[in-house]
């Protein structure tokens, strides 16, 4: 019988394997590890019988404990819907004034509205609602059609420039591209508009062009933006006298807007959300701003 070599330090037999002068000892697996493996295998086998585990064609083994995660989730969803139904029914039916006056209900609106806004609106307006180039800031008091919850609901429900028959229509003509204004007229009216929110631009050097632009504005732009350029919420025309801009308020951007026109778009949500969700989101957006009508 062949006698295996023994390690002179530990006295254990070696396996005969050697790597770079290091010989492998024939060390048995620790008893604790063996016990752990045995217990886990026994537990795994027992668990096959306790919970659903094995597919059986069109069905599966149900398990002795009757545990079904799908049923558990469905039950929790039903419970959640029942809990939500109380305040959702209020949001779906009560006047906005009554909801705004209820502090506890508005706390629910803020929590639920934040989730709805994050899922549906944040991609364009940002998670904080402050917007970016081409998408309006919803946290200020500057509104195209008004910031009351009823008006916000109409915008949410029907969208802007969509195929919905009740959509809001907002389009600024391309005065330069379509030949309605000459190039110099485009630059003049842009200079005038720029000066409205930037008084420092009204210097003696620019005064002649600004005055020329004032005349162009009166005959071309005042019909929508108003004679004082403070906008018209009936047609969604923005206020041009403040420092809040959707596409940008620097002179070159204004020139680009007058030359090429602008036509924003917002999808309609009446088929994507329930009435209660639309009203919740309307209240949430209204609450983001300063509450201006």
């Amino acid at each position: 019988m062949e006698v295996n070599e023994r390690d002179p330090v530990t006295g254990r037999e070696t396996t005969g394997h050697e790597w770079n002068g290091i010989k492998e000892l024939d060390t048995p697996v620790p008893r604790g590890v063996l016990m752990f493996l045995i217990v886990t295998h026994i537990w795994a086998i027992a668990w096959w019988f306790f919970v659903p585990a094995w597919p059986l064609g069109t069905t599966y083994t149900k398990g002795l404990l009757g545990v079904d995660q799908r049923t558990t989730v469905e039950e929790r969803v039903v419970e959640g819907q029942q809990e939500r139904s109380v305040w959702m029914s209020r949001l779906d039916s009560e006047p906005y004034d009554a909801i705004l006056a209820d502090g506890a209900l508005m706390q629910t609106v803020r929590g639920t509205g934040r989730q709805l806004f994050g899922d549906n609106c944040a991609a364009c307006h940002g998670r904080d609602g402050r917007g970016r180039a081409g998408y309006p800031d919803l946290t200020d008091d500057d509104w195209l059609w008004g910031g009351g919850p009823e008006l916000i609901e109409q915008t949410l429900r029907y969208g802007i420039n969509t195929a919905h028959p009740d959509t809001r229509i907002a389009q600024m003509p391309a005065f330069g591209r379509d030949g309605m204004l000459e190039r110099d007229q485009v630059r003049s009216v842009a200079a005038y508009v720029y000066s409205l929110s930037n008084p420092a631009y009204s210097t003696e050097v620019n005064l002649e062009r600004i005055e020329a632009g004032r005349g162009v504005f009166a005959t071309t732009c005042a019909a929508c933006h108003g004679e004082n350029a403070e906008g018209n919420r009936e047609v969604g025309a923005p206020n041009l006298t403040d420092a809040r801009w959707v596409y940008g308020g620097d002179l070159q951007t204004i020139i680009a807007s007058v030359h090429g026109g602008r036509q924003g778009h917002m999808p309609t949500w009446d088929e994507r959300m329930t009435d209660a969700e639309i009203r919740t989101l309307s209240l949430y957006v209204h609450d983001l701003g300063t509450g201006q009508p």
Side-chain angles (χ1 to χ4, degrees):
M1 173 182 288
E2 181 180 357
V3 179
N4 293 337
E5 182 182 0
R6 289 185 176 273
D7 178 59
V9 177
T10 63
R12 292 189 179 279
E13 293 184 353
T14 65
T15 62
H17 300 155
E18 182 176 342
W19 293 273
N20 296 328
I22 300 175
K23 296 181 179 180
E24 181 183 23
L25 300 181
D26 188 13
T27 305
V29 178
R31 186 181 300 274
V33 174
L34 288 175
M35 292 301 298
F36 176 78
L37 292 174
I38 292 171
V39 170
T40 53
H41 279 75
I42 292 175
W43 175 257
I45 294 172
W47 203 243
W48 288 344
F49 294 95
F50 290 148
V51 299
W54 294 100
L56 300 174
T58 58
T59 184
Y60 54 90
T61 56
K62 306 300 182 182
L64 299 176
L65 298 179
V67 176
D68 187 339
Q69 291 181 342
R70 184 172 184 175
T71 302
T72 301
V73 170
E74 291 175 349
E75 290 174 352
R76 291 181 179 177
V77 168
V78 172
E79 291 175 0
Q81 290 175 341
Q82 291 175 346
E83 293 176 359
R84 287 163 54 93
S85 63
V86 177
W87 55 266
M88 287 293 282
S89 62
R90 293 185 59 190
L91 291 172
D92 195 20
S93 60
E94 290 190 10
Y96 280 119
D97 290 342
I99 298 173
L100 289 169
D102 190 325
L105 187 55
M106 280 303 297
Q107 283 297 106
T108 302
V109 166
R110 293 183 184 102
T112 305
R114 180 184 296 274
Q115 295 177 359
L116 289 171
F117 190 90
D119 292 342
N120 300 284
C121 313
C124 294
H125 294 283
R127 293 199 64 85
D128 57 0
R130 295 188 180 277
R132 55 191 175 90
Y135 302 96
D137 185 346
L138 304 178
T139 65
D140 55 26
D141 60 352
D142 194 44
W143 299 89
L144 295 180
W145 282 278
E150 295 89 352
L151 297 171
I152 296 173
E153 178 186 346
Q154 183 179 348
T155 305
L156 281 170
R157 190 176 296 278
Y158 306 128
I160 302 171
N161 294 327
T162 67
H164 197 286
D166 296 320
T167 185
R168 293 192 185 278
I169 303 296
Q171 182 172 6
M172 177 175 169
F175 291 101
R177 187 187 64 203
D178 294 344
M180 289 180 279
L181 293 178
E182 299 293 336
R183 180 178 180 180
D184 193 60
Q185 290 178 307
V186 169
R187 299 185 66 86
S188 295
V189 74
Y192 169 70
V193 171
Y194 181 70
S195 71
L196 294 175
S197 56
N198 296 273
Y201 184 73
S202 299
T203 62
E204 186 175 348
V205 175
N206 300 319
L207 191 58
E208 183 178 353
R209 181 174 290 278
I210 290 173
E211 287 303 315
R214 186 192 305 273
V216 176
F217 186 91
T219 58
T220 308
C221 313
C224 291
H225 293 282
E227 294 181 1
N228 56 6
E230 292 182 354
N232 183 351
R233 290 179 176 177
E234 293 296 323
V235 296
N239 184 351
L240 304 178
T241 65
D242 56 23
R244 296 171 179 142
W245 301 86
V246 176
Y247 297 97
D250 61 279
L251 181 56
Q252 291 303 314
T253 301
I254 296 173
I255 291 174
S257 296
V258 176
H259 173 80
R262 297 293 185 184
Q263 182 175 358
H265 174 77
M266 176 177 168
T268 173
W269 297 97
D270 66 335
E271 295 182 357
R272 309 186 193 190
M273 295 184 187
T274 65
D275 288 344
E277 288 174 334
I278 290 176
R279 286 171 59 86
T280 299
L281 196 51
S282 300
L283 286 161
Y284 177 77
V285 172
H286 171 75
D287 193 60
L288 283 178
T290 58
Q292 294 293 323

